[in-house]
Amino acid sequence: MDNDANWEYTRHFVLFINGCFSQLGWDDPTHWPTIPHACPKQDNKDDCGVFVMAYAEHLVFGRPMQFTQNDMWFYRQKIVHDIYYKQWENSGFLESLTDD
């Protein structure tokens, strides 16, 4: 699909979001800046969610979109680490170790 078609889909999506959520007090997304960032493509049918998460992380932190299928092992490990650590953090167990 060419970039013109992608932008057309983006424009329709922004109009859809505006129509659905403007009554909830959301800002009008038709005024949001649209910044194109090419997303690396996955080589399998298993990593689409991991690619989306990597894309979002790179976008939020302003990192270049330079990750590949070979980097997905890192992102999978990071997800597991973050979930595991957050569970420990939320349990209060880590604080109880430092209180003694």
Side-chain angles (χ1 to χ4, degrees), residues 14-82:
V14 168
L15 292 173
F16 167 76
I17 293 293
N18 189 39
C20 290
F21 298 106
S22 61
Q23 69 270 15
L24 299 176
W26 287 24
D27 290 338
D28 180 359
T30 56
H31 300 291
W32 294 352
T34 307
I35 304 167
H37 289 281
C39 183
K41 304 291 188 245
Q42 67 198 61
D43 296 336
N44 63 29
K45 295 181 182 194
D46 301 324
D47 288 326
C48 56
V50 181
F51 263 81
V52 169
M53 291 173 72
Y55 179 83
E57 182 177 301
H58 282 250
L59 188 64
V60 166
F61 292 116
R63 297 179 186 147
M65 298 295 168
Q66 298 173 340
F67 55 90
T68 67
Q69 186 71 48
N70 292 334
D71 298 318
M72 291 305 104
W73 69 270
F74 167 79
Y75 287 101
R76 281 190 221 96
Q77 297 301 318
K78 184 178 183 310
I79 292 166
V80 171
H81 172 270
D82 291 350

Side-chain angles (χ1 to χ4, degrees), residues 16 28 82-83 85 87 94 97-98:
F16 167 76
D28 180 359
D82 291 350
I83 291 171
Y85 183 77
Q87 290 298 316
L94 296 177
L97 292 176
T98 60

